Amino acid sequence: MKKSFLLVSAWAVWSVTAFAWSFEPLPDVPPIPADNPMSAAKVALGQQLYFDKRLSVDGTISCNSCHTVMGSGTDNRPVSVGVGGKKGGRNAPTVWNSAFLSVQFWDGRAATLEDQAKGPIVNPVEMGMPSPAEAEARIRAIPGYVSQFEAVFGTQDPVTYENIAKAIAAYERTLLTPHSPFDRYLKGDKTALSEQALRGMKTVEKIGCTACHTGPDFAGPPMPMGQGFFQKFPIFVDHNPYVAKYRLMEDDGRFNVTHEASDKHLWRVQTWRNVALTAPYFHTGSVPTLDEAVRVMARSQLGKTLTESEVQDIVAFLNSLTGEFPVQSMPRLPQTPNRTLTEK
Amino acid sequence: MKKSFLLVSAWAVWSVTAFAWSFEPLPDVPPIPADNPMSAAKVALGQQLYFDKRLSVDGTISCNSCHTVMGSGTDNRPVSVGVGGKKGGRNAPTVWNSAFLSVQFWDGRAATLEDQAKGPIVNPVEMGMPSPAEAEARIRAIPGYVSQFEAVFGTQDPVTYENIAKAIAAYERTLLTPHSPFDRYLKGDKTALSEQALRGMKTVEKIGCTACHTGPDFAGPPMPMGQGFFQKFPIFVDHNPYVAKYRLMEDDGRFNVTHEASDKHLWRVQTWRNVALTAPYFHTGSVPTLDEAVRVMARSQLGKTLTESEVQDIVAFLNSLTGEFPVQSMPRLPQTPNRTLTEK
């Protein structure tokens, strides 16, 4: 009873805060699940796995192939290219700051980064491994991995699909881009945003974008991990030329997960962080530029046709959400042993 | 006259040294061409280009895709997979320590790393760009690259195919693996090699491997840059079961470059540095393990069938040539601009 009272109070406080101050800087640390604490060794292991193409059936695709950490955290393609040149069904979302999202994938079918990491490895059009067991066997055959799993997880037979996913998720929780001009502005540097970006910032509030694109990652209000913030897209479909032009309704979205009619065309609200780097846009990847994405959203979600200067102001604001990408070391991937080698 | 006398003298001194001491540690610095001096900014630019898939026609392949610097500097495949899943004709040689080689490619068709870098970008089964001009245009369209080319090369219109190759080659000249057990042994640490490795070291001299696999990279005696050290492979073909089994003579090797009959089945002598990491072996990539590669070489080049303990000793020695891989920063790749973005 007491607990639920506290939760209600916290909600009320949050609501008031949210109305008082729509904009929040990116926190320094993301939520960390209790069952997957961070450690430097785990992050280092996860980084190796993230870049390791041996987790794909034919050794050509790693997590990084589609979620490129040297760049935008996406592959900047409409849809990704998986094993054997196969095309994915939806645009690859960015891995940068994905640790702040309360659900993963466009349709929210994974509650955590751990669950997300288990998907592409065995997806036939992505990394194409026939089963989790075969992915484990690949990694278990590499002594340089086994010793790390033992050190990190400390259990008997630690090379499990669960632990592969945990290590990858731990690495992904380090992929944060703080100190964007927007964050610096919020923290007191009033010169960090141009006049145009400031106009854009006011416009997105005024016209209603921030009703959904709120919170520190602009992907919705804070939610318990695993409980996503979904919205219908597109809402305004009548006489909306973008629906056909960009194939916005060919995919049923969250309905494919829940099979509930009310979830048709519902999608996780996307982050605005680094959105200027992640073209092309939407689940279709069919919209090539950010200004066009702004026009499509205003028309489809708010029923508004923006002036060209409003579009450019918003684009300037969205550009101010490009953060600082941390310097990382390049991993060394442990060697697949030549089984006849007897020496290190 | 005086100069040529000095050169002859230097050669004589080298010959004596070589005979007196077959084994040499890896030098700290490789040869640097006078027209492509090293600089930190050039290396950083080259590293970005090396990892940039936008230098391939469909954006799926970078230099690193086949010459993986997070690993062995190869892709550990028989032959590489290029754009559209196309297969290459020969096994990808390692990029590590390639700066010490006097010619590049299996058939020595490139004199320098600069020349080598120009090949795969426009090779239809590798990165598949239609022309050098189109590769230049790709890079020239990325402002974050243009500013770096201007800073590094300081010329008008510096984004040229020549300069792309120069930057990549400069980066590759940093990819050195010193401090192998073998190098530490030569420099005085007599515990660096096991008894077995020491036996292998004596065996490769005794049976004649080091007649060709000499010099600090074991790829032949020091040669002027561009003048390769080529040998026929296989030499002993009668009753040699490996010739058919591993398809050793289906490719004419250097003959394809010179069209001289005497160059049939001539190949650049391969480096032994990190050879334990670069399976599968030979231009065919048809030999999966290092011990089998040792058997094939002894039979095919020296007409010898080794005992199993000789094979294992040599493998132990070859393992001692695995060096230390330097820690590198991961590059940030400059963004392909959304042409409508007006702000940074």
Side-chain angles (χ1 to χ4, degrees):
Chain A
M1 183 71 109
K2 197 173 174 190
K3 194 171 168 196
S4 87
F5 171 76
L6 279 173
L7 280 176
V8 170
S9 302
W11 180 261
V13 170
W14 171 78
S15 306
V16 170
T17 314
F19 280 106
W21 187 30
S22 309
F23 296 112
E24 295 175 60
L26 199 71
D28 292 333
V29 280
I32 312 288
D35 66 349
N36 192 20
M38 302 286 278
S39 76
K42 190 188 286 177
V43 168
L45 172 59
Q47 191 199 34
Q48 291 161 48
L49 295 166
Y50 189 91
F51 280 91
D52 203 323
K53 297 179 180 178
R54 289 170 293 187
L55 277 173
S56 68
V57 66
D58 65 359
T60 60
I61 305 286
S62 69
C63 305
N64 186 66
S65 300
C66 304
H67 304 281
T68 308
V69 298
M70 293 179 194
S72 62
T74 75
D75 53 8
N76 294 109
R77 298 173 163 276
V79 294
S80 296
V81 178
V83 293
K86 289 173 193 151
K87 297 278 179 75
R90 294 173 186 156
N91 180 262
T94 182
V95 69
W96 288 103
N97 306 308
S98 59
F100 291 107
L101 300 175
S102 61
V103 290
Q104 303 295 330
F105 293 115
W106 280 96
D107 54 18
R109 69 185 182 274
T112 62
L113 286 173
E114 285 79 0
D115 283 350
Q116 191 281 331
K118 294 180 203 163
I121 296 172
V122 293
N123 185 322
V125 302
E126 299 185 41
M127 298 164 81
M129 289 297 282
S131 69
E134 299 221 23
E136 289 173 3
R138 281 274 178 96
I139 299 302
R140 206 178 283 126
I142 303 168
Y145 272 132
V146 174
S147 57
Q148 289 183 79
F149 274 86
E150 285 167 355
V152 166
F153 295 102
T155 51
Q156 198 79 22
D157 191 21
V159 183
T160 63
Y161 204 56
E162 284 292 322
N163 286 345
I164 290 170
K166 280 184 172 177
I168 292 171
Y171 169 59
E172 291 173 334
R173 290 197 177 93
T174 70
L175 299 177
L176 314 177
T177 64
H179 310 312
S180 70
F182 165 78
D183 292 293
R184 289 188 275 117
Y185 177 85
L186 286 191
K187 289 174 177 179
D189 176 2
K190 295 303 172 197
T191 68
L193 294 187
S194 68
E195 285 301 314
Q196 188 179 29
L198 282 169
R199 282 199 305 271
M201 185 174 174
K202 291 196 185 99
T203 305
V204 296
E205 262 199 305
K206 189 184 68 185
I207 67 177
C209 311
T210 51
C212 296
H213 289 286
T214 183
D217 55 4
F218 294 92
M223 306 288 273
M225 199 55 61
Q227 186 181 322
F229 183 66
F230 299 95
Q231 292 294 327
K232 191 167 185 181
F233 171 74
I235 296 170
F236 292 87
V237 298
D238 291 344
H239 311 294
N240 177 346
Y242 300 127
V243 174
K245 182 172 186 187
Y246 297 123
R247 300 175 282 105
L248 301 182
M249 295 182 74
E250 286 178 11
D251 184 327
D252 284 335
R254 188 155 173 78
F255 172 82
N256 293 325
V257 181
T258 65
H259 304 289
E260 295 196 21
S262 60
D263 282 338
K264 270 210 174 174
H265 308 298
L266 256 61
W267 299 95
R268 182 186 67 181
V269 172
Q270 296 305 296
T271 182
W272 278 358
R273 294 278 173 185
N274 304 307
V275 69
L277 308 183
T278 62
Y281 297 101
F282 303 113
H283 59 277
T284 50
S286 56
V287 175
T289 61
L290 187 54
D291 58 334
E292 183 72 345
V294 168
R295 285 182 206 106
V296 170
M297 281 303 275
R299 179 69 187 80
S300 304
Q301 301 308 94
L302 305 167
K304 283 189 164 54
T305 301
L306 299 176
T307 67
E308 195 51 30
S309 69
E310 283 174 320
V311 170
Q312 293 307 325
D313 290 351
I314 293 172
V315 165
F317 174 63
L318 294 174
N319 266 275
S320 82
L321 301 176
T322 299
E324 278 182 20
F325 292 81
V327 175
Q328 296 181 60
S329 278
M330 203 178 286
R332 286 290 312 159
L333 306 189
Q335 178 69 10
T336 297
N338 180 330
R339 65 189 174 282
T340 58
L341 296 188
T342 53
E343 294 230 330
K344 73 169 152 56
Chain B
M1 182 73 106
K2 198 172 171 189
K3 193 173 171 195
S4 89
F5 171 77
L6 279 173
L7 280 175
V8 171
S9 303
W11 179 261
V13 169
W14 171 79
S15 307
V16 171
T17 314
F19 280 106
W21 187 30
S22 307
F23 297 113
E24 296 174 60
L26 199 72
D28 293 333
V29 280
I32 311 289
D35 67 346
N36 192 19
M38 303 286 278
S39 75
K42 191 188 285 177
V43 168
L45 171 59
Q47 190 199 33
Q48 292 161 46
L49 294 166
Y50 189 90
F51 281 90
D52 203 323
K53 297 179 179 177
R54 289 170 292 187
L55 277 173
S56 68
V57 65
D58 64 0
T60 60
I61 305 286
S62 69
C63 305
N64 186 66
S65 299
C66 304
H67 305 280
T68 308
V69 298
M70 293 179 195
S72 63
T74 75
D75 52 9
N76 293 109
R77 298 173 163 274
V79 295
S80 297
V81 179
V83 293
K86 289 173 194 149
K87 296 279 179 75
R90 294 173 185 156
N91 180 262
T94 182
V95 69
W96 288 102
N97 307 308
S98 59
F100 291 107
L101 300 174
S102 60
V103 290
Q104 303 296 332
F105 294 115
W106 281 94
D107 55 18
R109 67 184 183 274
T112 62
L113 287 173
E114 286 78 0
D115 283 351
Q116 192 281 332
K118 293 179 204 164
I121 297 172
V122 294
N123 185 321
V125 301
E126 299 186 40
M127 298 163 80
M129 289 296 283
S131 69
E134 300 221 22
E136 290 173 1
R138 281 273 178 97
I139 300 301
R140 204 176 286 127
I142 303 168
Y145 271 133
V146 174
S147 57
Q148 289 183 79
F149 274 87
E150 285 167 354
V152 166
F153 295 101
T155 50
Q156 198 78 21
D157 191 21
V159 183
T160 63
Y161 203 56
E162 286 291 323
N163 287 344
I164 290 170
K166 281 184 172 179
I168 292 172
Y171 169 60
E172 290 174 333
R173 291 197 175 94
T174 70
L175 298 177
L176 314 177
T177 65
H179 311 311
S180 70
F182 166 78
D183 292 293
R184 289 188 275 118
Y185 177 85
L186 285 191
K187 290 176 177 179
D189 176 2
K190 295 304 173 196
T191 69
L193 294 187
S194 68
E195 285 301 315
Q196 189 179 28
L198 283 169
R199 282 200 307 273
M201 186 173 171
K202 290 195 185 96
T203 305
V204 296
E205 261 199 307
K206 190 183 70 187
I207 66 177
C209 310
T210 51
C212 295
H213 289 288
T214 183
D217 55 4
F218 294 91
M223 307 288 272
M225 199 53 60
Q227 185 182 322
F229 184 65
F230 299 95
Q231 293 293 327
K232 192 168 184 179
F233 171 74
I235 295 171
F236 292 87
V237 299
D238 290 345
H239 310 293
N240 178 346
Y242 299 128
V243 173
K245 182 172 185 187
Y246 297 125
R247 300 176 282 104
L248 301 183
M249 293 181 74
E250 286 178 11
D251 184 327
D252 285 335
R254 187 152 173 81
F255 172 81
N256 293 325
V257 181
T258 64
H259 304 290
E260 294 195 20
S262 59
D263 282 338
K264 270 210 174 174
H265 307 298
L266 256 61
W267 299 94
R268 182 186 66 180
V269 172
Q270 295 304 297
T271 182
W272 279 358
R273 295 277 172 187
N274 305 306
V275 69
L277 308 182
T278 62
Y281 297 101
F282 302 112
H283 60 275
T284 50
S286 56
V287 175
T289 61
L290 186 54
D291 58 333
E292 184 71 345
V294 168
R295 286 183 205 103
V296 170
M297 280 304 275
R299 179 69 188 81
S300 305
Q301 301 309 91
L302 305 167
K304 284 188 163 57
T305 301
L306 300 177
T307 67
E308 196 51 29
S309 69
E310 283 174 323
V311 170
Q312 293 305 325
D313 291 350
I314 293 172
V315 165
F317 174 62
L318 294 175
N319 266 272
S320 83
L321 301 176
T322 299
E324 278 181 20
F325 291 80
V327 175
Q328 296 180 59
S329 278
M330 203 177 287
R332 286 289 313 158
L333 306 188
Q335 177 69 11
T336 298
N338 180 329
R339 64 188 176 282
T340 57
L341 297 188
T342 52
E343 293 230 330
K344 72 173 154 57

